[in-house]
Amino acid sequence: MQDKILIVEDEPEIADLIETYLKNEDFTVFKFNSAKAALEYINTNQPDLAILDIMLPDMSGFTLCQKIRENHTYPIIMLTAKDEETDKITGLTLGADDYMTKPFRPLELIARVKSQLRRYKKYNLIHSEGEDKNIIIYLDLIMNIKKHECLLNDIPLTLTPTEFLILQILLENKGNVISAEEMFHKIWQDEYYSKSNNTITVHIRHLREKLNDTLDNPKYIKTIWGVGYKIEGE
Ligand code: CA
């Protein structure tokens, strides 16, 4: 996935510590010790999340946060020097999404980074297109048809194009049974289909594995023996 994380922190030990933990989790890190340097980076680059210290040498982290918010919506986590209730409120008012009080446990920060990224991606998936028909929400699933993205419990699912289509067809025909043959023709149009063709069965099996669905008690894709497959209507 390699999300890009911006760190703006003038204390090298803290910046390095955060960087190490983030890199361990496969994040790409861009580290700056001043607001000016960070702003130059932001002008031409788009991180996925920013971690901002409040006490910076050239500018307050609050001001930096505000400047970022003028043009960007990615999550911002502020680092406050002490547990000042006012700092926390100011940060959140100016557009920060979360804050951490120093000293903090790096793992706690990583957990917050991940949670903010998940929330942000989910939000983007739902709101980016503006057209409701591109979004299908069913139980813990969110599909963005146009972007070909699918989230299960806020976590992106890696689906092949065929698996994606099968899931889309079943969801668009919620409550109705689709036979394997019908599914085959919907996906490959007039290509040859024989009764012995188990292509759809194989794709459905893979799809179920990815959805953590069991054959006995599936949450999503049900098999109607001798007829086909269906997703229950809500
Ligand atoms: Ca500082």
Side-chain angles (χ1 to χ4, degrees):
M1 197 156 54
Q2 292 271 325
D3 283 316
K4 296 193 285 286
I5 312 291
L6 169 74
I7 303 173
V8 191
E9 164 65 86
D10 59 322
E11 287 163 78
E13 299 81 20
I14 296 177
D16 291 349
L17 184 70
I18 301 174
E19 181 184 29
T20 304
Y21 274 83
L22 284 170
K23 283 187 169 169
N24 271 342
E25 297 285 329
D26 275 340
F27 289 107
T28 307
V29 175
F30 298 88
K31 207 171 53 170
F32 299 97
N33 58 12
S34 73
K36 187 173 171 284
L39 282 169
E40 275 168 19
Y41 167 79
I42 290 163
N43 274 337
T44 47
N45 296 277
Q46 170 96 0
D48 296 290
L49 180 143
I51 299 170
L52 312 179
D53 181 32
I54 292 176
M55 304 283 277
L56 293 167
D58 53 346
M59 187 189 285
S60 140
F62 292 136
T63 313
L64 180 58
C65 173
Q66 250 181 321
K67 283 186 181 292
I68 293 175
R69 276 290 170 263
E70 285 169 10
N71 298 305
H72 303 285
T73 57
Y74 46 78
I76 298 176
I77 299 176
M78 309 286 304
L79 302 178
T80 70
K82 46 190 184 306
D83 199 0
E84 288 276 358
E85 195 67 14
T86 50
D87 275 3
K88 169 180 135 191
I89 293 164
T90 309
L92 297 178
T93 310
L94 294 177
D97 298 277
D98 204 353
Y99 68 94
M100 289 241 73
T101 306
K102 290 177 187 175
F104 52 82
R105 291 187 306 124
L107 285 175
E108 169 74 16
L109 177 62
I110 302 301
R112 303 249 185 137
V113 165
K114 287 183 178 174
S115 138
Q116 287 298 331
L117 284 170
R118 270 203 304 275
R119 193 188 54 79
Y120 183 62
K121 283 176 184 168
K122 183 179 177 183
Y123 179 87
N124 271 349
L125 200 58
I126 295 173
H127 294 92
S128 60
E129 300 305 324
E131 275 189 67
D132 287 343
K133 64 176 163 53
N134 287 317
I135 308 290
I136 300 174
I137 301 175
Y138 181 79
L139 302 179
D140 299 323
L141 264 183
I142 302 171
M143 288 189 96
N144 186 322
I145 307 304
K146 216 168 161 185
K147 294 178 97 178
H148 244 261
E149 287 175 338
C150 185
L151 295 182
L152 178 65
N153 287 315
D154 302 345
I155 296 162
L157 275 187
T158 311
L159 300 180
T160 65
T162 306
E163 288 163 1
F164 192 93
L165 262 177
I166 290 176
L167 191 56
Q168 180 184 346
I169 290 166
L170 286 170
L171 282 168
E172 284 174 346
N173 294 279
K174 222 165 43 185
N176 298 315
V177 184
I178 310 278
S179 70
E181 188 176 357
E182 219 181 323
M183 185 72 81
F184 190 94
H185 287 298
K186 277 178 190 289
I187 297 171
W188 292 285
Q189 281 77 40
D190 51 66
E191 283 176 55
Y192 178 72
Y193 175 87
S194 88
K195 288 281 175 207
S196 61
N197 191 323
N198 68 351
T199 313
I200 295 295
T201 318
V202 173
H203 286 298
I204 296 256
R205 192 170 69 226
H206 290 156
L207 195 48
R208 275 190 174 130
E209 280 166 15
K210 292 179 183 179
L211 293 166
N212 302 317
D213 246 359
T214 57
L215 198 53
D216 306 336
N217 191 20
K219 194 172 167 188
Y220 295 98
I221 304 172
K222 298 198 164 69
T223 301
I224 312 297
W225 295 109
V227 190
Y229 306 95
K230 82 164 179 177
I231 285 181
E232 294 291 355
E234 278 163 303

